[in-house]
Each structure stands twice: as structure tokens, then as C-alpha cells.
Amino acid sequence: MSHDQDDPTLHPEVQMSTSQGYFSGFAISSILMLAATFLVTSHAVPPFGLLMVISACAGMAIIAQIYFLLHIDVSEHNIWNTVALVLFIPLFLITIGLTWWMFSQLYLHTMIMPGMTH
Amino acid sequence: MLVDLAGGWNPMWGRLAWSQIPYDNPILAPLFVAVVVGAILVLGLITYYGKWTYLWKEWLTTVDHKKLGVMYILIGLVMLFRGFIDGLMIRTQQAWAVGAHSSGVFGATHGYLTPFHFGQIYSAHGVIMILLAATPLLVGFMNIIVPIQIGARDMAYPYLNALGLWLTAAAGALIMISLFVGDFAHNGWFGYAPIFELQYSPGVGVDYWIWTMELVALGTTLGGINILATIIKMRAPGMTWGRLPIFVWATLSANVIALTSFPALQVALALIAADRYLGAHFFTAGLGGNLMLYTNLFWIWGHPEVYFVILPAFGMMSEIFPTFSEKPLFGYITMVLASMAIAGVSWLVWLHHFFTMGAGPYVNSAFSVATMLVGIPTGVKVFNWAFTMYRGRLTFNTAMLWAIGALFLLLIGGLTGMMLAVPAINYMVHNSVFVVAHFHTMLLVIVYAIFASVIYWFPKVFGFKLDEFWAKTMFWLFSAGTVLVFVPMYMLGFMGMTRRLDYVFNTVWHPYLLVMEFGIAVYMLSVLAFVALLYVSIRDHAKNQVGADAWGTSRSLEWLTHSPVPFYNFAVLPHISARDEVAWRRDNGIDHVQPDHYEDIHMPNNTGVAIILGGLTFVLGFALVWRIWWLCALSLLAIVALVIYRSFKGDPGYIITAAEVEKMEKEALRREAQISK
């Protein structure tokens, strides 16, 4: 550990955080989650549409949280954010994509079509 | 209440009732008495010798990465013993309850364990061995060795490090208390939908399982962040990426896996909790839930986790082979690339845990090929180790024996893994004890690497070597046990025996099961040999003291500082000039050069916050299991308040002046001079 005790509040990632940003991130993701819950419990949309709408809500919530709460961007002074994104995006695509693929194949072979039976 | 609970609930005690204490169980009741007597004895001895202040100041509130690592390893060893006893009980039941004519005691029709009790034992065995034995043992070694190997004074976040330890301890305490209050899950260590749903498992066992795993996952994620930040930011001057010791590379790749995969486990468990506590239907068959989605989510974490535990073990072997071959590691760069490749492929193979789901030929082929790809980097590693030993000056001390044993087991486990990667074979042996034998072989690679590291790094941490005779005795007993238990297990797998049988219907299998029972008795002897090893080594520690370079042929940076390592690690941070710094200094004759002057050292203060947070987390877990809502709210509030209090207080640390450092260094050098005489 070195002697230079630099002020942690001067770090760029701390400078970027504002209470307004945190509150908007919290509000946006809460609204999106409540909307998705309402749509599911009220059966307002047919099943396949519901799947699409809540997936879209989840996607928007992820973007809002990454932007407002985690302050992840591709700027020069926060290079580790870019590293985190480079690590995260392929893993995200792999897990969601392969899960989608294996379950669509499973339903094809077992003739279960969730959301199609109504 | 959002869900219907069997057995009543009241606002004060939740689901807790006297009937939940298994005082009529002929196995648990005597054990409980023994535990209470033992605990009173230990606490009494601490009080008698007046060691409470020492314990609190030096250990319980410490943020020193070496002491935290030692405590991690102690937790790991205790849990390893508990998991071993579970294994012993499983083996005994299967050796006893064979055929319709086998006798039964303690309320069991056959053997001595009822099916419900047997289910809890194999579930606890798995959870404990993977999450509370292997993981803490490895995290302990990473904690101790990584900062010294990269020339740092402590972790990047010493307080977070202590918090990770106490969260792991809270998880261990939670699974231990499930022995005496309530019961444990009977759904296997990885859980099956829908048996863990509330209507099929109405007791608290599954809740214990959920919160234990959540706490370990949280502790390990925090630890992973800390270790990554330490490796990236705290390296000594001159320690470029190309000069990083190989164990640090292994740790780095393992913790990238930990950081990215543990959240998947936390989400999967949180969704089960939503099903059980809030009446959701994520993993039920009805109302749009999907049973296999749980298995999918679990193994998205579960397979990377397997490599999270094996990669540090590979790192340990990569440190031990060169030291006892008196040669640098063969193929350093390919070793690093292989670690990273294993970490990368770990994300692409999880479906091979459920080939039989029925996803069809395309999906199964893709995951089969991805699984076989793991063999390439692993093969690179095996050849690198072999070439490291080739024409080296080999010393067969016990650390080397354990490492070579790990190499043999890796070969067996790897080849059977290749067989299991073929879906056609996998369909035949799915859920048979062949699979069980395969993954035990792989986990034994880790156990062998851990015991090799215990022998190898013990003198660095404590300043004296372990006794060779008892270490060798333990190694040969353990290896004999391994052969006797797992060779028959492979054979039984091919004969069609499925896993987790509380009653064995086929009497043809009986001789094999008896051999395995004999093998587990040999394992028990090796445990006793380990106790003897510790006793004899501590008794004779004055005889076996060592200097900085305990083995005389060591290569990496941790062997530059004194043994035992002073709490500030290095009096003056070393400047790194080579990949194997100590070997380089020895070759250039500057390994005994001392600094001409010392400087002030800035160190972090101890804190009691971490252990209090661990205690509160245990209370929170216990309250969640028993649904004592007021206690949940209270403990959660206290945790949040304490975290906020600590973050405003911060820690300015303290300074050890140059004069004090000089005094301590002189003392250490005087001790070393005495040893070399």
C-alpha cells in the first residue's frame, strides 16, 4: 500500500454518481417490473405476446440499470467498464441464446409448446 | 401468509417448535450431547488459559490475509471431516442394506438409516464437500499465497476479505445447526424440480439448503472481486503479466469464473425461494413453470464452478512440480493460455449434466463437442507437467507424492470424462455410480493438490516443516482408500448400479460394496494419520524450523520473505526482475542481500464489523429458514445499518515506522541465522 492517500470521492466513477441518477434508475426499473407483473397477473395479452412484452421490459430494465446504477460506458477514463462489458456481453448472449436453443429443441422433440396451447 | 405451511406457524417463533429437535433420533441425540460437551470444554479451556483477548484481537477481528486464509483452511478442514463422516455413513448403509434379508435397526427396514435420513445425508455430503470444504480450502490458499506471490502487503480490500470469511463461516454454521434443529434437504446437493417445492418438501430442510448455498455464493463472489482487484492493482514494481507466478494466473482465471457464474446460482436459488415463500411457480409443472429450467439455471453456474475449484488445484501442481524437479515450469505461456481456455470453455458445456433431458441430437452434439474441447487445454497442462519433470532432479517428498497422485487421478478422471462427454455413453450410464466415481476422481485431484499445498506451503506460514514420516503414512493410507473405494465404484457403475440407493436390491453387488466399506475404513485411518501428523509436527517444531526458502529449490516470490511471513509480508517491497524471482536471485547470488534502509509501512486496522456482520447474517439465515419474520426484519436492518456505519467511518490504517520495521527484521534475520547453524 502506498502513502498517497488520494481522496476516493474524486475518482471518476464516484464523480459520475448523482442521487438523481440513482433515483431514476430505481424508478425506471421498478415501473418496468410492476408493469410486467401487472400484465402477467391480469393476463392482459395473449401468452406469446406476453412473453415478448415482458422480455422487452426486462431488456429495458437491464439497460436502465447498467446506465443509471452501474454507470457502465465505453469512456477512456473508465477502461475497466469496457473490460466488464466485453466479458459480460458474450456470456449474456451465450447463456440466453443457448438456453433458448436447447429449450426450443426440447419442445420440438417433446411436442410441448408453451403458450401455443391456449 | 402467501403459502400454506404444514405443522403450524406463530408470529413469535415462526415454524420453530420443540418437536423439531430430533432428541429421539438414536444417531443425532448422542452426537448433540457430544457436541455440547466438546463446545463447553473448548470454551472452558479458552477461558481457563485467558485467551479470549488474544483470540479476539489476533484472529476474530483480523484483516490480515494470511490469518484469514488460515481460518478459511480450518473451516474447510472441519467441513471436510463432516463431509467425510457423511460419506462413511452412506457407504455403511449401502454395505449393510443389501438384499431383502438384510437386517434393519433404528426404525429402518434395511440398514440403519431411513430413506428420508439417507437423503439428507447424501445432500449434505455434496453441499459440504463442494461448497464448504473444497471452496474454503482453495480460497484459503489463494488468500494466503496470492498477495505474497505478487509482492503486496495485503488484499486490495482487507475488510471485504474478512467479511467473505465470516459469511462462509455463517453458511457452515447454518448447515451444521440443521443437524440439531429441524432437518436438511433430501433433494441432492444440486436439487431437483419439483421435489424441492413446498408441497413435496413441506419441512425446513430445503430452506436450510437454499440459504446455506446463498451465503456461500455471496461470500465467494465478494472474495472473487477482492482477489481480482488484488491481482490487477497490487502487483509489486516490475511484476509484469509475463512474470506473474503460475498459481496467480490460475487464481485469476478461477475468479473470473467465480465472478461471472455465482450470480446465476444466486438467481436460481432466489427463484426457488420465491416458489417456496411467495407461492410463485417458476419451477412447478403447472401455471407456466418449467422444471428443467431449474436444472438449466443451476448448471449454468454448476459447470463453471467445477472449473473454479479445479483451476487453483492445477495452479498448485504447477508450483510444486518445478520446485521438486529443480527446473523452471515447462511451457509457462501455454499453461496460462490453457487456464484461460478452460475458463472460457467452462461457459459452453453445462448441458452435458442433463444430456438425457431430450433436447435432441443437434443440441447434444454441440455440447458434446464443446465438452471434449476441454480435453485440449487440460492435455496441454498434463504434458507441460510431464516435461517439467522430464530429466529433472526429482525429490520425492510428500508434497511431490500428492502432486503426482493428483496427476494420475486427473488421467483417470479425464478419460472417464471423455467417455461421459459422448451422449451415447452418457445415456447408458446417466445417474449411475460410474458418474459418481468420475466426479469423485476429479474432486480427489483437488483434494490431492490441497494436501500437496498443505505440505508445501505450511513452512512458509508457520515457520516449520511437517513431519515427513506421518505425512507419507497419511498419503499412502489415503491413496489406498481412494483405490479401494473408487475402483469398485466404477465397476458397479458399469454393472448398472444407480446413485443414491438407500437399499441395494441386487446381492451380486454386495462384495464390491464391502470392499468399498473397507476402503472407507482405510480413509478413516488416514484421517487419524493426519491428526498424528499435526500433533507430531507441532511437538517437534523446534527441530524442523526453516528459513525463508524452506525447500532450498523454491522459485517464486513468496519464498523471498521470512518464514513465518511477517504481518507486513515484505520489509521493503521487492523489485521484480524475472519470472521465477527467487530462483533468479539465487542464480545471481543476491538472494541474501538485505535492504540498506527501511521505510514506514502503511497497514489496515483490524475491525470487529466483519465478524458481527457474519453473526447477523447467520441470524438472518436462521430466521428465514424458520420464517420468523420479525427476526428477519431486525437482523436485515442491523446489517444495513452496520454496513452504512462502517462505510462512513472508513479506515485510515496505521503506520509502522521504519525503526520498528528494522527492529522486527533484525529479530527475524537473527532467527534465520540460528536455524542455518
Side-chain angles (χ1 to χ4, degrees):
Chain A
M1 214 177 285
S2 60
H3 269 286
D4 48 304
Q5 288 289 300
D6 52 349
D7 187 357
T9 56
L10 294 177
H11 287 195
E13 60 271 23
V14 179
Q15 290 286 303
M16 282 166 74
S17 56
T18 57
S19 35
Q20 199 197 348
Y22 281 120
F23 277 116
S24 17
F26 180 68
I28 292 171
S29 29
S30 305
I31 290 168
L32 283 165
M33 272 187 257
L34 282 175
T37 314
F38 171 76
L39 287 172
V40 172
T41 47
S42 66
H43 298 277
V45 191
F48 187 74
L50 202 56
L51 204 64
M52 294 293 114
V53 174
I54 60 172
S55 300
C57 285
M60 282 192 285
I62 288 173
I63 292 167
Q65 286 173 9
I66 284 179
Y67 183 75
F68 286 113
L69 303 184
L70 301 178
H71 308 291
I72 283 182
D73 55 19
V74 287
S75 60
E76 192 70 35
H77 58 271
N78 270 346
I79 189 75
W80 287 108
N81 283 343
T82 315
V83 174
L85 274 178
V86 167
L87 190 65
F88 165 75
I89 291 172
L91 292 181
F92 184 79
L93 294 177
I94 286 169
T95 42
I96 304 288
L98 288 180
T99 300
W100 189 342
W101 183 45
M102 68 174 77
F103 276 81
S104 63
Q105 289 284 309
L106 175 71
Y107 293 153
L108 193 70
H109 289 97
T110 51
M111 289 181 287
I112 308 168
M113 295 284 166
M116 303 297 180
T117 48
H118 289 271
Chain B
M1 299 302 281
L2 291 157
V3 289
D4 294 323
L5 291 174
W9 177 88
N10 69 64
M12 181 65 199
W13 296 104
R15 306 183 76 186
L16 208 52
W18 283 115
S19 56
Q20 297 285 353
I21 313 285
Y23 50 81
D24 53 348
N25 185 304
I27 297 165
L28 290 176
L31 180 65
F32 181 67
V33 174
V35 167
V36 169
V37 170
I40 291 171
L41 202 67
V42 170
L43 297 181
L45 281 176
I46 296 172
T47 316
Y48 180 77
Y49 287 107
K51 291 284 183 192
W52 280 110
T53 324
Y54 163 77
L55 207 60
W56 178 257
K57 282 208 169 135
E58 293 293 319
W59 291 92
L60 301 180
T61 60
T62 188
V63 292
D64 182 339
H65 69 97
K66 299 171 290 294
K67 286 181 177 166
L68 290 170
V70 168
M71 285 191 281
Y72 261 119
I73 291 171
L74 283 177
I75 292 176
L77 287 175
V78 169
M79 297 313 281
L80 188 70
F81 182 70
R82 157 87 206 270
F84 166 72
I85 295 297
D86 286 334
L88 177 78
M89 291 178 81
I90 296 169
R91 291 268 54 81
T92 308
Q93 171 73 10
Q94 286 195 341
W96 184 343
V98 186
H101 301 295
S102 55
S103 61
V105 292
F106 300 160
T109 319
H110 298 282
Y112 70 109
L113 296 170
T114 58
F116 181 61
H117 194 177
F118 187 75
Q120 293 176 50
I121 289 173
Y122 65 66
S123 306
H125 174 74
V127 173
I128 286 172
M129 284 306 204
I130 293 178
L131 285 164
L132 286 161
T135 305
L137 283 166
L138 294 170
V139 172
F141 276 108
M142 295 178 201
N143 245 307
I144 296 173
I145 300 304
V146 166
I148 318 179
Q149 277 199 335
I150 61 171
R153 297 216 185 278
D154 206 318
M155 289 285 209
Y157 312 110
Y159 155 66
L160 190 70
N161 198 14
L163 188 59
L165 170 81
W166 292 113
L167 285 177
T168 308
L174 203 58
I175 200 169
M176 291 307 250
I177 206 166
S178 78
L179 275 175
F180 306 123
V181 188
D183 46 47
F184 194 66
H186 57 132
N187 52 8
W189 78 275
F190 51 80
Y192 283 109
I195 194 174
F196 53 52
E197 297 288 349
L198 196 60
Q199 57 267 51
Y200 309 109
S201 300
V204 293
V206 178
D207 301 325
Y208 267 121
W209 172 74
I210 292 175
W211 300 117
T212 303
M213 303 252 283
E214 283 280 22
L215 289 188
V216 186
L218 187 61
T220 313
T221 314
L222 294 179
I225 294 169
N226 203 350
I227 290 175
L228 288 179
T230 307
I231 296 174
I232 290 166
K233 285 292 195 188
M234 308 275 289
R235 282 169 289 135
M239 176 72 82
T240 56
W241 288 106
R243 291 176 186 162
L244 214 54
I246 200 76
F247 179 69
V248 179
W249 272 114
T251 304
L252 184 76
S253 54
N255 282 289
V256 168
I257 298 176
L259 186 63
T260 49
S261 70
F262 268 95
L265 172 70
Q266 288 173 309
V267 168
L269 292 166
L271 293 180
I272 305 176
D275 279 10
R276 286 180 65 88
Y277 285 77
L278 307 173
H281 287 274
F282 287 107
F283 306 129
T284 63
L287 293 166
N290 190 323
L291 280 68
M292 285 314 289
L293 197 56
Y294 169 73
T295 309
N296 180 55
L297 269 177
F298 184 89
W299 289 113
I300 285 177
W301 162 76
H303 202 85
E305 156 72 11
V306 176
Y307 295 147
F308 168 69
V309 289
I310 199 100
L311 280 170
F314 288 167
M316 292 164 168
M317 291 158 73
S318 307
E319 292 287 347
I320 289 164
F321 284 128
T323 301
F324 298 110
S325 306
E326 300 188 28
K327 275 174 68 188
L329 182 72
F330 183 90
Y332 171 89
I333 290 172
T334 52
M335 211 61 145
V336 171
L337 290 177
S339 293
M340 288 299 160
I342 292 175
V345 179
S346 79
W347 273 94
L348 295 165
V349 300
W350 76 92
L351 179 118
H352 71 218
H353 293 271
F354 47 104
F355 271 141
T356 53
M357 172 170 83
Y362 301 125
V363 174
N364 281 1
S365 312
F367 278 91
S368 167
V369 171
T371 305
M372 290 181 190
L373 283 180
V374 179
I376 298 172
T378 317
V380 167
K381 279 175 177 279
V382 172
F383 279 108
N384 280 345
W385 291 321
F387 282 126
T388 304
M389 286 185 281
Y390 179 64
R391 305 191 78 170
R393 245 190 309 273
L394 270 66
T395 320
F396 290 100
N397 85 336
T398 322
M400 186 67 164
L401 290 183
W402 282 110
I404 292 173
L407 205 51
F408 275 97
L409 286 169
L410 179 62
L411 195 63
I412 299 167
L415 290 176
T416 50
M418 279 295 141
M419 292 164 72
L420 288 167
V422 181
I425 299 176
N426 199 294
Y427 266 68
M428 298 298 290
V429 293
H430 181 77
N431 262 0
S432 74
V433 292
F434 184 79
V435 180
V436 178
H438 158 72
F439 69 70
H440 277 85
T441 313
M442 291 313 287
L443 282 162
L444 279 166
V445 174
I446 299 162
V447 175
Y448 271 60
I450 286 170
F451 280 121
S453 305
V454 168
I455 309 276
Y456 180 61
W457 277 312
F458 189 91
K460 186 80 266 177
V461 178
F462 293 102
F464 59 95
K465 282 187 191 176
L466 288 169
D467 184 77
E468 266 298 290
F469 170 77
W470 281 105
K472 281 211 166 77
T473 309
M474 180 202 175
F475 167 78
W476 288 112
L477 285 171
F478 196 96
S479 299
T482 302
V483 172
L484 287 167
V485 170
F486 292 103
V487 170
M489 198 183 276
Y490 276 118
M491 293 161 88
L492 284 173
F494 278 138
M495 294 159 90
M497 181 169 159
T498 48
R499 67 196 296 191
R500 295 172 176 167
L501 294 180
D502 60 282
Y503 164 68
V504 182
F505 61 89
N506 191 346
T507 47
V508 172
W509 298 336
H510 201 191
Y512 300 87
L513 293 166
L514 287 176
V515 172
M516 288 155 85
E517 179 71 9
F518 177 63
I520 206 98
V522 178
Y523 266 133
M524 189 74 213
L525 292 179
S526 82
V527 174
L528 296 178
F530 183 61
V531 175
L533 167 67
L534 290 182
Y535 172 75
V536 171
S537 308
I538 293 169
R539 190 192 63 192
D540 299 344
H541 73 275
K543 270 200 311 213
N544 298 323
Q545 294 210 352
V546 292
D549 182 0
W551 304 105
T553 54
S554 315
R555 312 194 66 83
S556 46
L557 189 61
E558 76 269 31
W559 303 102
L560 187 67
T561 185
H562 313 295
S563 316
V565 185
F567 63 95
Y568 44 82
N569 288 0
F570 296 93
V572 174
L573 285 185
H575 191 284
I576 311 302
S577 334
R579 187 173 288 159
D580 290 334
E581 178 68 15
V582 166
W584 181 84
R585 289 192 185 201
R586 194 169 46 230
D587 293 346
N588 288 288
I590 54 166
D591 49 337
H592 289 296
V593 175
Q594 294 303 323
D596 49 2
H597 74 286
Y598 296 98
E599 280 175 13
D600 293 356
I601 296 176
H602 181 218
M603 293 296 290
N605 278 313
N606 284 2
T607 170
V609 175
I611 185 171
I612 298 172
L613 279 176
L616 287 169
T617 313
F618 169 76
V619 173
L620 176 64
F622 188 78
L624 278 167
V625 167
W626 292 96
R627 303 182 195 224
I628 310 169
W629 302 127
W630 64 268
L631 192 55
C632 291
L634 206 65
S635 49
L636 191 62
L637 206 67
I639 291 170
V640 173
L642 202 54
V643 168
I644 292 174
Y645 162 77
R646 161 77 199 190
S647 40
F648 274 96
K649 196 167 150 277
D651 176 26
Y654 68 101
I655 302 286
I656 320 167
T657 59
E660 284 173 297
V661 176
E662 191 169 359
K663 196 163 147 258
M664 285 185 279
E665 281 298 300
K666 281 217 171 105
E667 175 61 30
L669 288 171
R670 195 186 55 78
R671 179 184 165 276
E672 243 158 66
Q674 252 177 0
I675 294 161
S676 54
K677 256 187 241 164

